[in-house]
Amino acid sequence: MSKNFSSDKPVENPEEDRFQRFGFSKRIADTIKQRDADEGIVIGIYGAWGEGKTSVLNFIQNELNQDETILQVSLNPWRYNDEETLIKNFLKKIAEVLGKELDSKKEKFGSFIERYGSFGSIIGKDLTDVGKTLSNVDLEELKNRIDEFLKESKSKLVIFVDDIDRLDKQEIYSLFRLVKLTADFTNTTYILSFDEQMVASAIGDRFGAGNEKSGQNFLEKIIQVPLQIPQAQIAALKKYCFELVDKAINESELELNEEEVQRFVSAFSHNVLLRLSTPRMAVRYGNSLSFAIPLLKGEVNHVDLMLMEAIKIFYPKHYEFIKNNSIYFTSSYSSHSYGGQGVKGKKDELSEHLDNLGSDLSKAEKGAILNLLKSLFPRLNEAFHNTFQHEGHKEWLKEKRVVSTSYFNRYFSYAVIDGELSDVAFDEFVNSVEKAELVDTAKKIKEIIEHSSVDTFLFKIRTYEEDLSWKSTMNLSLSISLMGDLFPKSKSFFAFGMDGAQSQAAIFIYNLLKKHKSEEDVFELAKILMGKDVPYDFAYALNNWMRSGKTPEEKLFTNEQYTELAKILRTRLLEECGEKPIFEVFPDNLSYIFSTWFEESPKELETYLKGFIDKDAEQLKQLLVAMTPTATSTNHPEPYKSNFTKEHYEYLTKLLDKDYLHKIISDNYSEEVEKEKVQFFDFENNQTDLNILRQFEHWYSKDDGIQEAEIVE
C-alpha cells in the first residue's frame, strides 16, 4: 500500500487502541476464562460497518492466548461458497485444533483413545462426506463423540466468526443454521461479530412476518449474550480524523495559509463532523484526500477540494447530485439572468431535490449540508436569501473555486481536462516572464495557445492583471503584442469591438498599463507597442483602448502624447505601404489615421491624397470605397459595404475640396454614374463601387451651404 494511504487494518495491541475498545474486549475474555458452566454459549458482538468489531475480536483472542486451556478457532464464512463447504471446513478446523490438543497430551487422553479411537476416527480422515453426515441420522452421534472429547480434554473451545454481514442472505442463513446445530458443544463459546440491523434485514424474510423484526426474533433465539460495541467517543474520532487530514496534507507537501486552515476547520467541524460515526469513515476520508490532493495540487482551490471530498465521503448522495447537475450550483438565480418565473421554477426544483437527498438525514444534518453547500457554492445564496452575487464570478475564477464554471468539472475529473490549461504550468509561465527573453516568452505564448486555444490563454492571463510587476508587465505586453496575429478580430455582428480575441488581448495590456504609476515608463512602452514590430491591426487596437476614458483624469496620456502615438502609427503605415496609398493597403481605421494627420498637418494630408488621385482616377473610387463603412447583419454575417452617408461626405470634403472630387468623378465616370439612379440600402448586401460614386454625387448635388462638420475620430 502506498505510504500516502492509511490502512484500514484492524488493530491488535492495546497500545493501538484509540477508541477505548480494549477494556470492553478484556471483560469478554475474562468472562470466558472465569466461566464455570460447561454448556455452550453464543455471544454476539454488534456494531455498524467500520466501528471496529474485528479489532475487538483481535483483543479478545490475544487475551485468551494467555490461557493454554482455551482453544481457539477462527471461521471466515465468506471464503466458502456453499453450505456443504462451510460445514466441512468448520469441522475440519475443530478437528485440527482438538487434534493438536490430543497430540500434546497423549498420555492424559489414553483412556479416551481406547474408548473412541483417534480423533480422526471420530469423523474420518476423509472429510468428503461430512456435509452429508451432518444432514443424516448420524449427526447426534457425531456431536456426542465431539462432546465427549471436549469433556475429556477439560479445555474450552472458543469459535470466532467475523464478517457475517459480508455474506448474502443464503450464506447468512447457512451459517446460523450451523451455529444452531452445534452451539450446544460442551465448553464451547461462539463469538459472532456482525451488524445486527443488516443481518436481521437479510434473514427476516424467512421467518414470521418476513421483515427485520422477524430477523431480530430469530437472532434472539441463537444469540444468548448480545453485546453492542462501545461507540467511539466523538473527541477521539475527531482527533483521529484531523490526524489523517494532517497526514494527507503533509505527505502531499501542500501548504495552506492561516486563513485557508481556519476556513476548512470551521466548515468541516460545523458541517461534516456530526456525520463522523466510525473510525473507518475517518480513514476513508483521509485516503480520499491522499488521492485527490496530489492530482489537483495547484489546479483548484485546495480548501474547496478538501470540502468536496468530505461531501463525497459523508454525504455521498449530495456529491453525486452536484457532479451531475452543475446548473443548480454554478449558474445565477438572479431575475436579471432568467426572468422572474424561470428563477422561481429553478429554485423550486433545487429545493425539491435537496429535500429528497436529505430524506434519511436528521434535521441537524440537513442544515449542515445546506450550510456547507452555500459556502462552497455562493450562487445558492441567491436562491435562498435573494442576495445577488454581482461580481462574485471574477473572484471565484481567480481563486479557482468549485463554483466557477471554468473549474467545476476539474473537481470531479481529478485532472486538467484536454483543452484546458494546467494552473501549475501556467503559474510557472507567468513567474518566468519577468526574467525570460522576449522571444522565449512569445514562443511559450504560442505553445500555450496551440495546446489549448487563444480564448483559454486570455481567460487565464487576465486573472493575473493585479499581480504583475512592472518588468513582467513590460515583457508580457511586448510578447503578446509581437504575437498579435495570434489574436484575431471578432466577426460577430453583436461584438461591438469587445468580444474578439484581439480586443480582449488589447484590454488586458491596457489594464496592465493603467495600474502602473510611472506615466513616463508607461508612455515609453506605449510608443514601442505602436512600432513596426507589432502587427498594425493589433497596434491600432491597443491605441484605441489607450484612448478610452472621457475625462483627462481617466485617460492614460495627454493630448500631445496621443498625437505622438498617432504619428508613430502613421509613419510606420507610410513606410509599410511604400508606393501604394494607405487607403489601399490599410483600408480599415482610416478615420483615425486621417483625422490625426489632418489635425497635425492638413496640407500634407491633402498633398498625399491628391498625389495618388491625380495620377489615377481609380484611386478616388478606391478612397471612397475605403471610407464607406463596412457592415454585417444577421442575414449577411460576412462583412459588406453599406452606404456612403451624408456624414461620410462631410468628413471627406473636410479633407479634400468637394469641387475637386466632383470634377474627378465627372471627368472619368460621368457616363457610368448617370446610367442608373442612386440607391440607398437598409440591410441589403447590394452595394457596388459605382453606386458609392453615385451616393457621393447625390450628396454633392444637395450640398447647398452644408456646414463643415468636425472630423469624428
Side-chain angles (χ1 to χ4, degrees):
M1 179 176 291
S2 168
K3 67 176 182 178
N4 292 328
F5 295 91
S6 298
S7 172
D8 195 22
K9 182 180 179 182
V11 298
E12 297 183 1
N13 300 319
E15 294 78 12
E16 299 173 303
D17 180 27
R18 304 178 61 97
F19 306 108
Q20 299 180 321
R21 305 290 168 74
F22 177 71
F24 172 77
S25 309
K26 188 175 187 304
R27 176 58 183 151
I28 296 173
D30 290 343
T31 299
I32 294 172
K33 291 178 185 178
Q34 298 164 9
R35 188 167 182 264
D36 293 330
D38 57 4
E39 67 271 13
I41 191 171
V42 181
I43 299 174
I45 305 294
Y46 296 161
W49 181 81
E51 276 198 295
K53 298 185 295 296
T54 302
S55 295
V56 168
L57 296 190
N58 288 342
F59 287 146
I60 294 173
Q61 288 175 321
N62 288 341
E63 286 297 300
L64 294 180
N65 283 338
Q66 300 174 23
D67 190 331
E68 294 182 356
T69 66
I70 297 179
L71 310 177
Q72 299 181 48
V73 173
S74 293
L75 180 64
N76 294 312
W78 54 274
R79 293 182 178 177
Y80 313 119
N81 54 16
D82 58 63
E83 184 172 313
E84 180 176 338
T85 305
L86 173 67
I87 296 173
K88 179 190 301 184
N89 282 277
F90 170 70
L91 291 178
K92 183 178 180 181
K93 279 181 173 289
I94 294 178
E96 290 172 350
V97 171
L98 296 182
K100 290 178 182 177
E101 177 75 1
L102 179 63
D103 289 340
S104 65
K105 301 177 181 179
K106 288 182 179 179
E107 184 176 348
K108 180 177 178 180
F109 294 114
S111 59
F112 178 80
I113 296 174
E114 290 178 0
R115 293 198 304 273
Y116 298 105
S118 67
F119 186 75
S121 68
I122 296 177
I123 58 174
K125 294 186 181 296
D126 183 4
L127 299 178
T128 303
D129 296 325
V130 168
K132 296 178 181 178
T133 303
L134 281 180
S135 63
N136 62 28
V137 294
D138 296 328
L139 178 60
E140 282 300 317
E141 181 180 353
L142 177 61
K143 288 173 60 181
N144 289 337
R145 290 182 180 181
I146 294 176
D147 261 344
E148 288 297 328
F149 184 85
L150 289 169
K151 290 175 183 178
E152 195 76 24
S153 74
K154 300 296 183 182
S155 295
K156 293 180 179 179
L157 177 64
V158 181
I159 302 171
F160 294 90
V161 187
D162 197 6
D163 297 326
I164 296 174
D165 38 25
R166 291 191 186 186
L167 306 176
D168 62 28
K169 292 182 179 181
Q170 180 56 46
E171 290 170 335
I172 292 174
Y173 178 72
S174 296
L175 174 69
F176 280 107
R177 180 169 176 268
L178 170 63
V179 173
K180 188 175 182 181
L181 289 172
T182 60
D184 56 352
F185 281 150
T186 301
N187 292 326
T188 298
T189 300
Y190 274 95
I191 299 182
L192 310 181
S193 169
F194 56 91
D195 182 327
E196 179 191 17
Q197 184 177 3
M198 185 182 298
V199 170
S201 298
I203 63 176
D205 57 4
R206 285 180 172 268
F207 310 101
N211 53 24
E212 183 180 328
K213 180 62 177 176
S214 299
Q216 289 175 338
N217 291 337
F218 174 79
L219 291 176
E220 289 174 2
K221 295 176 182 178
I222 295 178
I223 309 294
Q224 285 110 359
V225 185
L227 299 174
Q228 188 72 40
I229 192 170
Q231 187 173 8
Q233 293 184 359
I234 297 300
L237 271 178
K238 178 180 177 180
K239 180 181 178 183
Y240 181 52
C241 187
F242 276 118
E243 286 178 3
L244 294 175
V245 172
D246 284 340
K247 178 175 180 287
I249 290 174
N250 292 334
E251 291 182 344
S252 300
E253 298 182 349
L254 177 65
E255 295 184 4
L256 299 177
N257 60 39
E258 184 176 350
E259 182 181 350
E260 290 173 319
V261 171
Q262 289 178 350
R263 179 179 167 231
F264 169 74
V265 171
S266 176
F268 190 79
S269 298
H270 289 96
N271 304 311
V272 177
L273 282 180
L274 76 170
R275 291 280 291 172
L276 178 63
S277 57
T278 69
R280 183 166 293 171
M281 292 184 75
V283 170
R284 291 184 68 223
Y285 180 55
N287 286 341
S288 186
L289 292 182
S290 294
F291 172 81
I293 292 175
L295 291 176
L296 291 174
K297 181 180 174 183
E299 305 292 355
V300 296
N301 183 287
H302 299 130
V303 176
D304 278 11
L305 175 63
M306 294 167 68
L307 293 175
M308 284 304 301
E309 291 300 296
I311 293 176
K312 182 174 72 174
I313 300 300
F314 297 96
Y315 298 95
K317 291 195 295 186
H318 288 77
Y319 180 85
E320 287 299 317
F321 179 75
I322 295 168
K323 180 174 70 173
N324 297 316
N325 296 275
S326 63
I327 188 173
Y328 292 113
F329 300 94
T330 61
S331 62
S332 177
Y333 286 82
S334 166
S335 58
H336 299 292
S337 303
Y338 289 93
Q341 192 59 39
V343 169
K344 185 180 185 303
K346 185 181 174 188
K347 290 179 179 178
D348 291 343
E349 287 176 7
L350 176 62
S351 296
E352 183 178 353
H353 284 304
L354 292 178
D355 286 342
N356 292 334
L357 292 169
S359 60
D360 59 348
L361 301 180
S362 67
K363 183 178 180 180
E365 290 170 337
K366 289 179 183 178
I369 183 59
L370 182 58
N371 287 335
L372 184 55
L373 291 178
K374 286 190 290 188
S375 71
L376 284 167
F377 301 99
R379 289 293 189 195
L380 298 185
N381 290 306
E382 295 180 351
F384 296 107
H385 305 295
N386 295 318
T387 56
F388 180 47
Q389 308 290 314
H390 180 59
E391 294 289 332
H393 64 281
K394 295 181 179 178
E395 281 300 311
W396 303 331
L397 170 63
K398 188 173 183 179
E399 295 172 2
K400 308 173 188 179
R401 297 286 305 276
V402 65
V403 67
S404 171
T405 54
S406 300
Y407 284 92
F408 179 86
N409 289 331
R410 194 173 293 187
Y411 284 80
F412 302 94
S413 65
Y414 296 111
V416 179
I417 301 168
D418 287 345
E420 290 186 353
L421 288 178
S422 163
D423 285 281
V424 174
F426 203 77
D427 282 341
E428 292 177 355
F429 159 69
V430 174
N431 292 333
S432 72
V433 168
E434 186 165 1
K435 297 181 180 180
E437 297 291 332
L438 287 181
V439 64
D440 294 329
T441 301
K443 180 181 178 182
K444 186 62 179 178
I445 290 173
K446 184 177 181 181
E447 290 175 357
I448 291 172
I449 290 174
E450 289 175 346
H451 173 72
S452 55
S453 69
V454 64
D455 291 333
T456 302
F457 170 78
L458 290 171
F459 176 79
K460 289 279 191 187
I461 199 65
R462 292 204 62 182
T463 63
Y464 293 82
E465 284 179 0
E466 301 298 322
D467 306 317
L468 295 174
S469 67
W470 173 241
K471 184 67 179 300
S472 293
T473 291
M474 288 192 297
N475 290 350
L476 193 57
S477 298
L478 286 167
S479 298
I480 291 175
S481 300
L482 291 172
M483 304 298 291
D485 288 338
L486 293 176
F487 304 93
K489 290 182 180 179
S490 171
K491 295 182 179 180
S492 170
F493 177 65
F494 297 104
F496 304 111
M498 291 288 291
D499 69 341
Q502 183 187 87
S503 185
Q504 290 302 314
I507 292 172
F508 170 67
I509 294 174
Y510 166 66
N511 287 338
L512 291 182
L513 299 182
K514 190 168 60 173
K515 84 179 189 70
H516 284 283
K517 303 300 182 183
S518 175
E519 295 180 2
E520 183 177 350
D521 288 342
V522 172
F523 183 62
E524 289 303 314
L525 176 59
K527 289 195 292 185
I528 296 173
L529 296 176
M530 297 299 102
K532 62 181 180 180
D533 292 327
V534 177
Y536 168 70
D537 276 353
F538 194 83
Y540 175 81
L542 282 173
N543 187 290
N544 192 44
W545 279 103
M546 289 177 189
R547 288 181 280 118
S548 62
K550 296 180 180 179
T551 65
E553 292 75 22
E554 293 174 345
K555 291 181 177 294
L556 276 179
F557 309 121
T558 65
N559 289 335
E560 291 77 12
Q561 288 173 322
Y562 283 123
T563 299
E564 186 174 348
L565 294 178
K567 187 172 183 178
I568 294 173
L569 270 182
R570 182 172 74 249
T571 301
R572 64 167 290 187
L573 287 185
L574 293 173
E575 290 177 356
E576 291 179 33
C577 291
E579 299 298 321
K580 295 182 179 180
I582 286 179
F583 51 82
E584 177 185 334
V585 182
F586 295 101
D588 296 331
N589 312 315
L590 288 178
S591 175
Y592 172 71
I593 298 299
F594 287 165
S595 295
T596 54
W597 195 348
F598 183 83
E599 289 175 0
E600 185 179 349
S601 179
K603 189 64 179 176
E604 181 181 293
L605 173 60
E606 179 184 15
T607 301
Y608 174 81
L609 295 175
K610 283 185 175 181
F612 290 103
I613 295 171
D614 290 344
K615 289 181 181 179
D616 183 359
E618 278 291 309
Q619 297 289 1
L620 174 57
K621 184 197 293 184
Q622 192 162 349
L623 174 62
L624 286 169
V625 171
M627 299 192 69
T628 301
T630 300
T632 58
S633 68
T634 52
N635 292 330
H636 302 286
E638 291 299 318
Y640 62 91
K641 288 295 178 178
S642 60
N643 294 309
F644 186 82
T645 65
K646 180 180 178 181
E647 288 73 23
H648 297 99
Y649 171 83
E650 292 174 347
Y651 174 75
L652 180 58
T653 55
K654 180 76 174 181
L655 307 180
L656 295 170
D657 180 74
K658 61 184 178 181
D659 295 325
Y660 165 77
L661 296 172
H662 168 68
K663 186 175 186 308
I664 298 293
I665 295 173
S666 297
D667 290 347
N668 295 276
Y669 302 104
S670 59
E671 185 176 343
E672 293 175 282
V673 168
E674 293 171 1
K675 276 185 180 180
E676 297 180 16
K677 290 184 177 182
V678 64
Q679 288 183 289
F680 287 89
F681 310 101
D682 290 329
F683 300 103
E684 298 87 352
N685 180 14
N686 295 323
Q687 184 66 286
T688 65
D689 293 354
L690 280 173
N691 192 63
I692 290 174
L693 295 179
R694 293 187 190 105
Q695 289 177 341
F696 176 89
E697 288 295 284
H698 168 79
W699 297 119
Y700 178 80
S701 68
K702 292 181 175 294
D703 187 1
D704 183 12
I706 294 177
Q707 297 296 318
E708 289 188 341
E710 291 294 325
I711 296 176
V712 181
E713 295 184 11

